[in-house]
C-alpha cells in the first residue's frame, strides 16, 4: 500500500496540477539537472546512477553522443569531441584565437564573426553544441519526472556579459526548453544553503568551476537577495589548474611531443591527479610512454599558487566594489568542483578569516538552488517569500567620437533597468547615425566587448547638432539587453534593428529551429504549429506596438479594449496545440483590426503631406 | 502601480532631502516583492512585460532617492529646475580655480614622494568640500533659494567626478605597485 502524503496547506498543489520545473547548471566541465520532488530539491541521475553529466559532446557520422560516453572519445577523436564549450559561448572568432593553445579544435569563420567548430557533422556553433548538452539534460528530466517540462531555470556565471547570457538563452530555445529565468550561479548556491531563511546577513560566494571564477557579494534581508557586487574572471578555473599540471608533466616527460592528442591525454591525467590530491599527499602519474612521475600535493600547490592568489585578488577588488570589509561577511559559500582542492579552501579561509560552507556537494549546490527557484517561478509555491534582486554585471555604453565609450548604465545597477541617453549629429544634413553598443569597464571601444551595431536612418536633414537622438537601453531581469533609438526634435521614429555583432541573429535561430524540425520528418504538425505560432506572435507584437503608439490618438476606448481582448484570444489560441485553430485566429484578428491599419495609413499619409519628404518615410 | 506618482510618495516618504534610509530600503523591497518579474514568470507575456516595466520603475525611483546627489537633483526637478545637460550656467570663478588646483595635484600624484598619501589627502579635501556643498544645498532648498540650491548641485557634480577620478588613479597605481 502506498503511503499517504500530507501536504502543508497552501504550500503544495495537487500532483496533477504541479508543474514540472527544473534547475539546470550548464557547467564548463560538468552539467546537472535538479528538481523539487516531495518538497526536497535533488539532482537527477541517469540510468547508471550518475548525477554529473560531463559537458562533452562527440560528433560522428553515426550520430551525436553526450556525457561520459562522449568523454571516452577525447583522446581517440579529439577534433570531434568538444569539451569546455561554455568558454566559447558568446565569444567572437578573434577572442577564440587567443585561447587557441588550450582548445585543440578546428574553427571555421561563421557569419558575424561567430566561431564555428569543424566536426564530422559539419560546422557547429557553440550555441548548437550547448543545446545538445541541454537536450540530454531535458530528456533525463522528462524521463525521471515522467512528463513534459514546463520550464527551467538555467544558471550562468555572474560575470557573463550580455552576449554570453543571450547565447545561453539561445541554446535553451534551440533545445526546446522554456527559460523561466537565467540565474546567477552564486545566487543559486546561497539559495541552496537556505541562507534566505536568515533574517539578514552578507554572503560571499566563492565559485571556482571548471572554466570560470566568480566571486559575488550578496546581501540578504528578510527573504530578499541583493547582489552588491560581482567580480571574477570568465577565463580562469579548474581547467587552468589541470593545464598548469599538464604543462609541468610535459616538461618532465622524456620523449613526448606537444600534439593536440598528447595535450588532451595529459589534461585528463592532470585532472585525475588533481582529484586524487584532494585526499592523498602524493600521486604517481603514468604517462602514455609508460614514464612514471611523482606529484606531491605540496608541489601541486606550488604550481597553482598563482591561480589561487589571482582569485583572492579578485575577492579583494569585489569587496571594495561592494563597500564591504572582509570581517563584515557573515557566510562564505564554496561552489564548484575546484573548491575541493585543499589549498583553495585554506586560502579562502585565511582571506575571509572564516570557515566556509562546504556541506553540500560543491558540484551540485548550484543545480539544487536553481531547482528551488524553478519550483517557485513555475508557480508551485504561491506563498514563497523568496525574491532575488539582481544587478548588471558589466557596464553598458555607446561609442562616441574618437573611439571612446560613453557609459549609459553602470555595472552593479539593479535590474531590470531602463536608461536613455541623448546624442546629436555632427555633420550638416546627416540623415543616418551608426549606434554601436558596448559592454565593459574600459574607456576605449577596442577594450570593450562589442554587443551590437545598428544604423538609425531617416533623420531629417538639419544643421549639425540640431537633431536629438535618444538611445534607450532596457535590461530585463535576466540581464538581457534591448536597444532602441528615436529622433526627438521632429517626433519621427525610425525603425531600428539590432544586429548582434556575434552570437546568433533571430533569423539564424529560426533557421536552426526549422532545420531541426526538418530532421524530425514525421513531425509535420509540430512544424506547422511552430510556423503558425511564429505568424501569431508576429501579428500580436506588431498590433500591440501599433496600439501602444497610435491607440490613444486613433481609437476610441471601446475600440481599443475590443482589439486588446481580441489579441488575448489569439494569444491563448497560440499556446494551444492546434495549428489550424491558430491559423483561423490569425485570419480573424487580421480581419477585425483592418480598420485600425487603414486609419494608421491615413495618418501617415497626412504626416507626409505636412512637409516631410516621402522618401524619408520607411 | 501609479507610475506618475512622485518617488517619495511611491515609497511612502516625506518629500525632502533628509530621508529615513531604512524606511526607503524596506518600502523598496516590499514593493519589489509585489511587482518583480519573478512573481509573474508563470503568467502571460503581457503580465510579464508589465512586471518588467513596474520593476524598472521601482529601480529607477530607488536609485534616484538612494544617492544624496541624485536625490538633490530629483528634488530640484520636482520644482521645475533642470540640473542635467541643459544647465550650462557658469560656476563661481573661485570654485573653478580650486577645482583646477585639485586636478593638477591629482595629475601630479604619480610623481609625488608618496603617491598614496597625496591621493588620500586629495580625497579627504574633496569629501570635505562635498559635505559643505550638501549643507549649502539643504539650507538653500529649505529656505526656497532654488538658484543657490541648483548651484550647489552643479558643484557636487564636479566633486563627484573628481572623486571617481581620484579612485581610478588609486586603482591604477594599485595595479602598478
Amino acid at each position: 500500500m502506498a503511503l499517504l502524503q500530507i501536504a502543508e496547506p497552501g504550500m503544495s498543489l495537487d500532483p496533477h496540477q504541479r508543474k514540472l520545473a527544473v534547475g539546470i547548471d550548464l557547467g564548463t566541465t560538468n552539467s546537472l539537472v535538479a528538481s523539487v520532488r516531495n518538497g526536497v530539491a535533488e539532482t537527477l541521475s541517469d540510468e547508471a546512477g550518475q548525477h554529473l553529466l560531463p559537458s562533452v559532446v562527440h560528433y560522428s557520422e553515426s550520430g551525436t553522443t553526450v556525457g561520459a560516453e562522449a568523454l571516452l572519445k577525447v583522446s581517440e577523436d579529439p577534433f570531434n569531441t568538444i569539451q569546455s564549450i561554455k568558454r566559447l559561448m558568446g565569444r567572437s572568432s578573434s577572442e577564440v584565437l587567443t585561447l587557441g593553445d588550450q582548445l585543440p579544435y578546428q574553427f571555421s569563420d561563421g557569419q558575424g564573426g561567430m566561431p564555428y567548430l569543424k566536426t564530422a557533422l559539419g560546422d557547429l556553433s557553440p550555441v548548437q553544441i550547448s543545446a545538445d548538452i541541454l537536450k540530454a539534460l531535458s530528456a533525463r528530466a522528462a524521463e525521471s519526472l515522467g512528463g513534459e517540462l514546463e520550464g527551467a531555470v538555467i544558471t550562468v556565471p555572474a560575470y557573463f556579459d550580455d552576449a554570453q547570457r543571450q547565447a545561453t538563452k539561445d541554446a535553451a530555445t534551440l533545445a526546446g526548453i522554456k527559460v523561466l529565468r537565467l540565474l546567477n550561479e552564486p545566487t543559486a548556491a546561497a539559495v541552496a544553503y537556505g541562507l534566505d531563511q536568515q533574517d539578514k546577513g552578507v554572503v560571499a560566494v566563492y565559485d571556482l568551476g571548471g572554466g570560470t571564477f566568480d566571486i559575488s557579494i550578496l546581501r540578504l534581508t528578510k527573504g530578499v537577495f541583493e547582489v552588491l557586487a560581482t567580480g571574477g574572471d570568465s577565463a580562469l578555473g579548474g581547467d587552468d589548474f589541470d593545464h598548469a599540471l599538464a604543462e609541468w608533466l610535459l616538461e618532465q616527460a622524456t620523449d613526448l611531443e606537444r600534439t593536440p592528442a598528447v595535450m588532451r591525454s595529459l589534461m585528463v591525467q592532470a585532472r585525475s591527479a588533481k582529484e586524487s590530491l584532494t585526499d592523498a599527499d602524493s600521486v604517481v602519474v603514468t604517462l602514455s610512454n609508460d614514464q612514471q612521475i611523482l606529484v606531491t600535493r605540496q608541489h601541486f600547490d606550488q604550481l597553482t599558487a598563482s591561480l589561487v592568489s589571482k582569485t583572492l585578488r579578485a575577492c579583494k577588488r569585489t569587496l571594495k566594489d561592494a563597500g564591504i570589509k572582509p570581517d563584515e561577511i557573515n557566510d562564505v559559500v564554496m561552489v564548484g568542483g575546484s573548491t575541493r582542492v585543499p589549498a583553495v579552501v585554506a586560502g579562502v579561509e585565511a582571506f575571509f578569516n572564516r570557515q566556509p560552507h562546504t556541506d553540500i556537494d560543491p558540484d551540485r549546490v548550484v543545480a539544487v538552488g536553481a531547482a528551488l527557484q524553478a519550483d517557485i517561478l513555475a508557480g508551485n509555491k504561491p506563498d514563497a517569500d523568496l525574491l532575488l534582486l539582481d544587478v548588471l554585471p558589466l557596464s553598458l555604453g555607446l561609442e562616441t567620437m574618437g573611439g571612446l565609450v560613453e557609459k549609459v548604465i553602470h555595472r552593479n545597477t539593479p535590474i531590470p533597468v531602463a536608461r536613455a541617453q541623448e546624442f546629436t549629429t555632427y555633420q550638416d544634413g546627416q540623415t543616418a547615425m551608426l549606434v554601436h553598443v558596448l559592454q565593459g569597464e574600459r574607456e576605449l571601444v577596442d577594450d570593450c566587448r562589442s554587443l551590437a551595431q545598428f544604423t538609425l536612418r531617416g533623420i531629417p536633414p538639419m544643421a549639425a547638432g540640431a537633431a536629438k537622438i535618444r538611445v534607450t537601453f532596457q535590461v530585463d531581469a535576466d540581464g538581457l539587453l534591448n536597444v532602441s533609438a528615436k529622433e526627438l526634435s521632429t517626433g519621427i521614429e525610425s525603425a531600428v534593428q539590432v544586429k548582434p555583432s556575434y552570437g546568433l541573429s533571430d533569423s539564424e535561430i529560426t533557421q536552426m529551429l526549422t532545420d531541426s524540425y526538418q530532421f524530425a520528418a514525421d513531425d509535420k504538425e509540430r512544424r506547422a504549429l511552430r510556423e503558425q505560432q511564429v505568424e501569431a506572435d508576429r501579428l500580436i507584437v506588431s498590433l500591440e506596438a501599433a496600439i501602444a503608439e497610435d491607440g490613444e490618438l486613433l481609437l476610441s476606448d471601446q475600440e481599443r479594449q475590443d482589439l486588446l481582448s481580441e489579441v488575448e484570444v489569439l494569444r491563448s489560441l497560440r499556446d494551444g496545440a492546434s495549428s489550424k485553430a491558430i491559423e483561423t485566429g490569425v485570419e480573424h484578428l487580421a480581419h477585425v483590426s483592418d480598420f485600425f491599419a487603414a486609419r494608421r495609413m491615413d495618418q501617415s499619409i497626412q504626416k507626409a503631406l505636412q512637409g516631410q519628404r516621402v522618401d524619408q518615410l520607411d | 502601480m501609479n507610475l506618475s506618482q512622485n518617488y517619495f510618495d511611491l515609497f511612502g516618504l516625506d518629500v525632502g532631502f533628509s530621508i529615513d534610509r531604512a524606511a526607503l530600503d524596506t518600502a523598496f523591497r516590499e514593493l519589489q516583492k509585489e511587482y518583480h518579474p519573478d512573481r509573474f514568470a508563470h503568467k502571460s507575456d503581457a503580465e510579464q512585460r508589465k512586471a518588467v516595466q513596474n520593476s524598472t520603475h521601482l529601480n529607477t525611483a530607488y536609485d534616484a532617492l538612494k544617492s544624496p546627489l541624485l536625490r538633490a537633483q530629483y528634488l530640484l526637478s520636482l520644482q521645475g529646475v533642470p540640473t542635467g545637460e541643459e544647465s550650462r550656467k557658469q560656476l563661481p570663478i573661485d570654485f573653478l580655480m580650486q577645482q583646477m588646483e585639485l586636478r593638477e595635484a591629482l595629475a601630479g600624484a604619480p610623481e609625488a614622494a608618496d603617491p598614496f598619501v597625496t591621493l588620500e589627502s586629495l580625497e579627504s579635501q574633496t569629501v570635505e568640500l562635498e559635505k559643505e556643498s550638501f549643507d549649502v544645498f539643504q539650507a538653500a532648498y529649505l529656505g526656497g533659494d532654488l538658484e543657490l540650491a541648483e548651484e550647489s548641485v552643479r558643484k557636487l557634480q564636479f566633486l563627484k567626478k573628481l572623486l571617481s577620478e581620484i579612485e581610478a588613479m588609486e586603482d591604477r597605481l594599485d595595479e602598478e605597485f
Side-chain angles (χ1 to χ4, degrees):
Chain A
M1 190 182 84
L3 291 172
L4 286 175
Q5 289 183 337
I6 300 169
E8 211 174 311
M11 290 302 282
S12 179
L13 297 167
D14 176 67
H16 298 290
Q17 287 176 15
R18 203 175 166 81
K19 291 169 176 164
L20 298 179
V22 295
I24 292 177
D25 175 6
L26 184 60
T28 306
T29 315
N30 292 298
S31 296
L32 287 115
V33 57
S35 188
V36 174
R37 288 194 282 192
N38 308 324
V40 179
E42 52 192 11
T43 53
L44 307 175
S45 64
D46 64 8
E47 286 145 0
Q50 293 297 315
H51 291 253
L52 291 177
L53 178 76
S55 302
V56 183
V57 190
H58 178 247
Y59 295 97
S60 75
E61 266 122 47
S62 57
T64 304
T65 54
V66 180
E69 203 184 327
L71 193 57
L72 296 174
K73 308 282 185 184
V74 165
S75 301
E76 160 194 336
D77 190 12
F79 293 134
N80 289 312
T81 311
I82 316 299
Q83 295 189 86
S84 298
I85 193 64
K86 189 172 174 180
R87 285 192 163 215
L88 303 187
M89 289 292 272
R91 299 256 181 157
S92 67
S93 302
S94 55
E95 283 173 301
V96 166
L97 283 180
T98 66
L99 294 168
D101 282 2
Q102 296 176 36
L103 293 162
Y105 306 120
Q106 294 175 317
F107 293 98
S108 67
D109 260 357
Q111 288 170 347
M114 181 155 105
Y116 279 72
L117 284 75
K118 289 184 181 168
T119 75
L121 290 183
D123 294 350
L124 298 174
S125 72
V127 169
Q128 287 169 297
I129 295 164
S130 296
D132 283 329
I133 299 171
L134 286 171
K135 276 181 205 161
L137 294 168
S138 160
R140 181 192 288 184
E143 189 144 317
S144 316
L145 302 173
E148 282 298 304
L149 291 187
E150 171 76 14
V153 168
I154 301 181
T155 60
V156 291
Y159 217 61
F160 255 23
D161 64 25
D162 183 75
Q164 292 166 304
R165 283 168 201 265
Q166 189 63 60
T168 305
K169 207 167 180 179
D170 290 346
T173 306
L174 203 53
I177 298 171
K178 182 187 171 191
V179 179
L180 295 169
R181 169 74 67 246
L182 294 179
L183 180 63
N184 285 333
E185 288 161 8
T187 310
V191 171
Y193 272 103
L195 298 179
D196 52 303
Q197 306 295 321
Q198 298 179 0
D199 195 39
K200 53 165 57 176
V202 182
V203 182
V205 181
Y206 180 101
D207 179 352
L208 190 58
T212 51
F213 169 63
D214 292 315
I215 173 73
S216 302
I217 312 299
L218 314 175
R219 183 171 63 198
L220 53 105
T221 319
K222 300 187 179 85
V224 178
F225 272 83
E226 282 172 278
V227 184
L228 294 179
T230 65
D233 189 333
S234 59
L236 170 68
D239 291 355
D240 297 295
F241 285 66
D242 302 342
H243 191 71
L245 184 53
E247 286 288 342
W248 182 77
L249 289 173
L250 186 68
E251 272 172 38
Q252 309 308 306
T254 45
D255 58 352
L256 272 187
E257 293 275 335
R258 179 192 290 272
T259 65
V262 163
M263 282 315 286
R264 297 292 283 257
S265 97
L266 279 176
M267 285 289 280
V268 172
Q269 286 175 309
R271 183 176 301 178
S272 116
K274 173 185 76 178
E275 285 166 11
S276 305
L277 288 173
T278 296
D279 298 315
D281 287 332
S282 66
V283 62
V284 173
V285 177
T286 307
L287 301 182
S288 54
N289 61 1
D290 288 336
Q291 188 184 348
Q292 294 201 321
I293 298 174
L294 176 77
V295 187
T296 63
R297 186 194 285 176
Q298 196 188 6
H299 190 69
F300 175 72
D301 289 350
Q302 274 171 20
L303 287 172
T304 56
S306 67
L307 298 170
V308 176
S309 51
K310 204 171 170 189
T311 67
L312 296 178
R313 278 203 302 280
C315 291
K316 200 173 159 191
R317 274 200 304 276
T318 308
L319 281 174
K320 200 175 153 198
D321 276 352
I324 297 281
K325 295 189 182 67
D327 59 6
E328 291 174 73
I329 299 283
N330 304 100
D331 291 275
V332 181
V333 173
M334 299 297 263
V335 181
S338 308
T339 62
R340 291 200 183 89
V341 173
V344 170
V345 181
V348 170
E349 186 168 345
F351 178 81
F352 288 102
N353 196 20
R354 175 170 299 280
Q355 197 174 359
H357 289 280
T358 52
D359 307 341
I360 305 179
D361 183 335
D363 282 319
R364 300 190 196 179
V365 61
V366 166
V368 164
L372 291 168
Q373 176 74 349
D375 196 41
I376 293 170
L377 294 186
N380 288 335
K381 287 180 96 175
D383 299 334
D385 210 29
L386 175 65
L387 175 65
L388 304 178
L389 297 180
D390 221 339
V391 296
L392 186 69
L394 297 161
S395 300
L396 291 166
L398 289 168
E399 175 170 353
T400 60
M401 295 288 287
L404 292 173
V405 181
E406 166 108 13
K407 284 182 188 152
V408 179
I409 308 181
H410 285 265
R411 78 184 158 129
N412 289 331
T413 301
I415 53 174
V417 66
R419 287 282 158 80
Q421 191 102 336
E422 283 173 22
F423 292 87
T424 189
T425 48
Y426 65 97
Q427 275 177 347
D428 287 344
Q430 188 179 342
T431 58
M433 189 181 205
L434 181 72
V435 179
H436 188 188
V437 184
L438 296 127
Q439 190 163 30
E441 307 314 313
R442 307 282 292 277
E443 301 274 318
L444 294 176
V445 166
D446 291 346
D447 297 329
C448 288
R449 162 63 67 92
S450 168
L451 288 179
Q453 293 197 31
F454 63 88
T455 306
L456 175 69
R457 291 183 198 285
I459 301 171
M462 286 185 245
K468 271 190 173 178
I469 291 109
R470 173 178 286 168
V471 181
T472 306
F473 284 54
Q474 167 79 58
V475 179
D476 68 15
D478 287 326
L480 297 177
L481 172 70
N482 270 297
V483 185
S484 59
K486 185 181 181 180
E487 205 288 311
L488 294 177
S489 63
T490 55
I492 288 181
E493 194 170 352
S494 292
V496 293
Q497 198 184 9
V498 178
K499 283 188 184 140
S501 302
Y502 38 82
L504 297 171
S505 63
D506 282 352
S507 63
E508 275 179 293
I509 292 186
T510 313
Q511 184 58 42
M512 284 177 188
L513 280 171
T514 315
D515 288 351
S516 65
Y517 289 131
Q518 272 167 353
F519 285 120
D522 57 332
D523 212 347
K524 274 191 193 144
E525 164 59 18
R526 212 170 144 197
R527 189 175 160 195
L529 177 65
R530 182 67 202 142
E531 279 169 3
Q532 288 306 326
Q533 284 175 336
V534 168
E535 202 58 42
D537 287 346
R538 194 177 296 154
L539 181 60
I540 290 170
V541 166
S542 65
L543 193 53
E544 282 185 336
I547 292 173
E549 200 179 302
D550 292 326
E552 212 144 300
L553 197 65
L554 300 178
L555 295 173
S556 71
D557 279 353
Q558 187 58 47
E559 285 170 335
R560 198 165 84 187
Q561 268 170 24
D562 288 348
L563 273 184
L564 286 173
S565 64
E566 292 282 4
V567 167
E568 284 314 313
V569 170
L570 179 57
R571 205 191 297 282
S572 60
L573 281 175
R574 181 234 177 268
D575 290 331
S578 160
S579 68
K580 265 274 169 276
I582 303 175
E583 195 176 356
T584 316
V586 167
E587 276 168 18
H588 174 71
L589 183 58
H591 180 67
V592 299
S593 62
D594 255 347
F595 75 96
F596 179 42
R599 284 183 203 170
R600 296 190 81 214
M601 187 80 81
D602 289 344
Q603 185 208 24
S604 57
I605 290 171
Q606 271 175 15
K607 263 192 192 163
L609 294 176
Q610 279 163 8
Q612 298 300 334
R613 277 169 45 197
V614 175
D615 61 358
Q616 285 172 338
L617 294 170
D618 277 339
Chain B
M1 188 162 64
N2 179 359
L3 298 181
S4 60
Q5 213 175 11
N6 92 49
Y7 299 160
F8 292 96
D9 292 346
L10 179 65
F11 294 120
L13 301 169
D14 293 333
V15 178
F17 186 68
S18 299
I19 55 161
D20 179 349
R21 179 59 199 268
L24 171 66
D25 290 356
T26 307
F28 168 70
R29 292 194 183 101
E30 286 309 314
L31 286 167
Q32 281 289 20
K33 269 190 195 173
E34 197 174 331
Y35 290 107
H36 194 274
D38 278 2
R39 288 281 177 255
F40 302 88
H42 59 291
K43 301 278 175 62
S44 73
D45 286 356
E47 282 171 285
Q48 285 181 43
R49 274 197 298 275
K50 185 83 193 150
V52 170
Q53 193 190 357
N54 284 333
S55 179
T56 299
H57 183 72
L58 284 173
N59 278 329
T60 307
Y62 183 55
D63 227 33
L65 297 195
K66 202 170 47 168
S67 132
L69 176 54
L70 293 179
R71 187 161 68 238
Q73 285 181 273
Y74 182 64
L75 282 169
L76 287 177
S77 78
L78 287 179
Q79 302 282 338
V81 181
T83 57
E85 296 288 310
E86 300 92 280
S87 163
R88 289 260 180 258
K89 270 183 270 170
Q90 177 84 35
L91 280 165
I93 201 79
D94 55 337
F95 176 80
L96 293 174
M97 289 301 288
Q98 186 189 37
Q99 284 297 298
M100 229 147 76
E101 279 163 24
L102 289 169
R103 271 162 199 281
E104 273 166 22
L106 174 62
E111 281 79 44
D114 188 334
F116 290 102
V117 171
T118 310
L119 286 176
E120 248 165 61
S121 120
L122 273 175
E123 193 172 348
S124 59
Q125 281 181 62
T126 313
V127 169
E128 191 52 41
L129 289 170
E130 215 179 20
K131 209 171 147 283
E132 282 168 23
S133 292
F134 274 125
D135 290 344
V136 172
F137 171 83
Q138 194 161 8
Y141 176 77
L142 286 174
D145 185 349
L146 295 181
E147 207 166 316
L148 182 60
E150 195 261 350
E151 185 182 287
S152 33
V153 161
R154 271 182 298 139
K155 284 183 180 176
L156 284 163
Q157 286 170 321
F158 262 82
L159 294 167
K160 188 186 167 198
K161 189 130 194 282
L162 182 61
L163 268 181
S164 73
E165 280 165 28
I166 294 172
E167 261 172 43
M169 176 75 84
E170 230 166 29
D171 284 347
R172 217 187 78 196
L173 294 177
D174 251 348
E175 297 270 308
E176 284 172 19
F177 284 94

